[in-house]
Amino acid sequence: MVMVLCGCKSGSDQGKHKKVAVIVSTLNNPWFVVLAQTAADQAKSLGYETKIFDSQNNTAIEADNFENAISAGYNAILFNPTDADGSVSNVLEAKSAGIPVFCMDREVNSVDAATSQILSDNYSGCVAIGKYFAEKLNKQGKYVEILGLVGDNNTWNRSKGFHSVVDFFPGLTMVAQQSADFDRNKAMEVMESILQAHPDINAVFCGNDAMASGAYQALVAAGKANDIKVFGFDGAQDVIESIQNKKIMATGMQFPKVMAKTAAIYADEYFKGKRDFPKKMPVAVELVTRENVNDYTGYGKKE
Amino acid sequence: MGKKVLKYIIVVVVVLLVAYNSVYFKKLDQVKAEQTAKTFNASSYAQNFWDKKLTPGLKDAIAIEKLIPMLNANPAQTFDNYSHALGIGNLRYFLIQGKGTITAIDADDITVSIAGLQGQKVKIATEYIFGNAARDAMGLININDFHNTMDFNNVSAEINAIIRSRVLPQLKHAKVGNGISFTGAIELNKEHLNLAQIEAVPVAINIQP
């Protein structure tokens, strides 16, 4: 009798008893806080119990988070990986335990591990930035590229998208390409040192907005902020304000909330029986310039 | 003594020859390109798409003089019915056709005043042929056909290369005042629609002197 009652209860309340884990690379960066919190809120609004696990940018902690989520009986994982290669084994562990994993914003280097990967279309976003960059420089000039983490796929997708346009114009010459690890302070130092060797550059393309802010700060200190054009990528609030104040030229707006909500909705659809998810789902990145900046706010559009 | 020296020289030459022929240096990007080519050939995919899907489907492009009033009257429904995109988000693509008169020829584009829609202008890109408009506008490419992100990025680049080599030369002798009919792909933002600055990536052109 008890078994029958339990069976009936679990059958009628199937969705409500499921749990969704959100495992995020770090909560020490507002971008990832927005991503994780939105994913958790969306899953909760769909009727699932949720918990956020912080991997602190450490694959070992991430592995512990996966083990804990699996042993605690979570039914799906909304995942922002710490490392494209290093995180694959964690995803495979969840897969072998029958738990679907939906990657958000960062990908893992495996076609079969995750159920779906919802990612910013970094390449196309940087094609748009590259086009605007070439237009604003009249296809002529010397420029510098400041890259993000060299081991991160997003770094190279952005760089490749940008170069697919600017390399088309022989008048545009890259005089230096250096990594600043997506870090504002490092970008400032890198920019200071590049300016010593190349004081005559016309523009800087940075792989994220934190680095664009750091590079701009170095240009202000060198008295060159009005002569050298700075381009970023992300859509961070301070860079949106910088574009409004005619300091930074442009950025690529990513939509972390769209990615997080989509991941939670996919998990919900998975529970309801759907299985044919796209392996990779790009989310459009929009070009934000001085001409259209008033349509946008940090990490999204004005509502 | 002389024979010994000669023997050593011969041995050293032989060793150097063997070593030289045993080691090959290749550029890393060349090796990576070869590996990619083995799994997916974006160029042949784009060629096939152009010949078998895009060209036969040009007749289905919506006339710009019909599209603009529909977008003004009911944008959400018009986007649902006529736009496509491989991913999700606000950027959507339409395949349009139009007729009109060339009113300006600039370094980066040609401006066409559209017949049958007073005041409406479309810029036909002639320099900046980049992005996903031509790939996505027809909605005939399925994202699940691609195993990795760079494959479908490369398809866009290859389709754009075809446009540069096959379509743009037809605009070489265009003059202000010429009549023109065209089919092209346009990108519009669903949330912030701007119909005053429409730029089309041309996929078919016919100039009437």
Side-chain angles (χ1 to χ4, degrees):
Chain A
M1 181 67 180
V2 172
M3 281 177 72
V4 170
L5 283 174
C6 288
C8 288
K9 193 171 166 52
S10 67
S12 60
D13 291 346
Q14 206 177 357
K16 289 178 186 170
H17 286 188
K18 292 201 185 297
K19 300 196 291 182
V20 175
V22 178
I23 301 179
V24 65
S25 59
T26 177
L27 288 176
N28 196 23
N29 177 328
W31 158 266
F32 296 105
V33 174
V34 170
L35 188 79
Q37 198 57 57
T38 308
D41 290 348
Q42 183 70 32
K44 204 173 170 188
S45 76
L46 290 164
Y48 304 111
E49 186 185 327
T50 62
K51 184 179 175 185
I52 297 173
F53 296 78
D54 179 7
S55 303
Q56 298 170 41
N57 272 334
N58 183 324
T59 43
I61 296 175
E62 183 182 278
D64 289 344
N65 287 338
F66 266 78
E67 275 180 26
N68 292 337
I70 293 166
S71 60
Y74 281 87
N75 305 93
I77 295 171
L78 312 183
F79 179 42
N80 171 248
T82 55
D83 187 288
D85 292 312
S87 299
V88 173
S89 58
N90 294 329
V91 180
L92 288 172
E93 194 184 339
K95 190 184 179 187
S96 64
I99 300 169
V101 177
F102 300 90
C103 290
M104 306 178 288
D105 176 52
R106 286 179 175 172
E107 64 186 317
V108 290
N109 287 335
S110 168
V111 192
D112 304 319
T115 306
S116 185
Q117 307 200 57
I118 303 119
L119 313 163
S120 273
D121 193 348
N122 288 289
Y123 181 95
S124 302
C126 285
V127 167
I129 290 178
K131 184 182 164 195
Y132 190 71
F133 183 97
E135 283 171 352
K136 290 295 158 190
L137 268 75
N138 291 322
K139 306 168 208 167
Q140 290 284 336
K142 293 179 183 174
Y143 73 93
V144 166
E145 181 182 10
I146 301 183
L147 297 162
L149 287 161
V150 291
D152 187 298
N153 285 8
N154 288 347
T155 295
W156 296 111
N157 286 336
R158 290 173 195 176
S159 182
K160 282 177 188 168
F162 176 74
H163 281 283
S164 75
V165 179
V166 295
D167 291 359
F168 202 79
F169 300 103
L172 289 170
T173 310
M174 183 170 72
V175 294
Q177 183 188 49
Q178 257 180 268
S179 168
D181 296 342
F182 289 133
D183 184 273
R184 181 186 179 124
N185 291 334
K186 279 187 189 170
M188 196 168 76
E189 288 165 19
V190 164
M191 193 71 244
E192 283 167 356
S193 117
I194 289 174
L195 280 174
Q196 303 287 324
H198 304 285
D200 58 342
I201 57 167
N202 307 101
V204 188
F205 169 61
C206 300
N208 80 345
D209 279 348
M211 296 193 297
S213 295
Y216 185 79
Q217 216 173 325
L219 294 175
V220 169
K224 289 178 174 286
N226 292 328
D227 307 324
I228 299 172
K229 297 176 170 65
V230 179
F231 299 76
F233 189 93
D234 263 352
Q237 184 59 41
D238 57 341
V239 166
I240 294 299
E241 284 163 14
S242 280
I243 296 171
Q244 280 167 337
N245 295 329
K246 304 197 184 313
K247 293 176 178 174
I248 287 175
M249 290 296 291
T251 187
M253 177 61 72
Q254 298 195 81
F255 295 90
K257 291 178 185 173
V258 172
M259 286 186 273
K261 284 180 181 175
T262 305
I265 291 166
Y266 277 12
D268 180 52
E269 289 173 347
Y270 185 93
F271 295 148
K272 289 171 179 164
K274 184 177 173 179
R275 291 294 181 271
D276 59 334
F277 294 95
K279 282 293 171 192
K280 287 188 185 175
M281 175 52 81
V283 176
V285 172
E286 297 178 28
L287 178 69
V288 183
T289 66
R290 292 177 184 179
E291 292 83 41
N292 70 359
V293 66
N294 291 328
D295 292 341
Y296 295 87
T297 183
Y299 303 133
K301 274 189 181 283
K302 281 186 180 163
E303 308 243 329
Chain B
M1 181 71 180
K3 274 186 183 176
K4 242 185 181 178
V5 171
L6 189 65
K7 200 174 155 188
Y8 283 133
I9 289 171
I10 289 169
V11 168
V12 167
V13 168
V14 168
V15 167
L16 283 174
L17 270 173
V18 169
Y20 178 77
N21 286 304
S22 305
V23 181
Y24 296 91
F25 291 96
K26 272 186 175 181
K27 283 184 178 177
L28 185 59
D29 52 1
Q30 191 186 338
V31 174
K32 282 183 177 173
E34 282 169 6
Q35 284 169 349
T36 307
K38 275 178 198 167
T39 51
F40 181 78
N41 187 330
S43 174
S44 69
Y45 185 100
Q47 200 70 47
N48 192 51
F49 172 77
W50 185 273
D51 293 336
K52 294 186 178 160
K53 290 185 177 175
L54 188 64
T55 305
L58 292 182
K59 60 184 185 316
D60 299 325
I62 181 159
I64 184 82
E65 65 271 21
K66 287 183 186 169
L67 180 67
I68 299 291
M70 281 195 284
L71 282 168
N72 281 321
N74 194 343
Q77 197 184 339
T78 309
F79 268 90
D80 285 347
N81 291 344
Y82 296 100
S83 75
H84 299 98
L86 214 51
I88 52 179
N90 296 319
L91 302 183
R92 308 279 300 173
Y93 305 96
F94 295 80
L95 190 69
I96 61 163
Q97 53 180 307
K99 284 180 187 170
T101 307
I102 295 174
T103 56
I105 298 176
D106 295 309
D108 299 336
D109 49 51
I110 286 177
T111 306
V112 177
S113 181
I114 298 297
L117 202 61
Q118 205 177 2
Q120 183 67 50
K121 292 186 173 178
V122 170
K123 287 194 170 189
I124 296 179
T126 53
E127 176 79 344
Y128 291 97
I129 307 291
F130 300 102
N132 304 325
R135 181 194 68 187
D136 288 9
M138 293 181 85
L140 292 177
I141 288 183
N142 183 348
I143 195 165
N144 288 327
D145 292 345
F146 302 92
H147 284 293
N148 73 65
T149 322
M150 206 41 79
D151 287 347
F152 58 80
N153 293 330
N154 289 337
V155 167
S156 278
E158 292 296 338
I159 292 171
N160 292 333
I162 294 173
I163 292 169
R164 282 188 207 102
S165 66
R166 291 201 205 170
V167 182
L168 294 189
Q170 296 169 48
L171 288 165
K172 251 184 184 173
H173 304 294
K175 289 177 187 156
V176 171
N178 282 164
I180 182 171
S181 55
F182 65 92
T183 306
I186 61 170
E187 175 188 291
L188 292 177
N189 189 311
K190 200 166 56 171
E191 285 286 314
H192 292 281
L193 197 52
N194 182 355
L195 298 175
Q197 291 183 333
I198 294 179
E199 185 184 80
V201 171
V203 291
I205 290 285
N206 187 15
I207 303 277
Q208 297 103 37

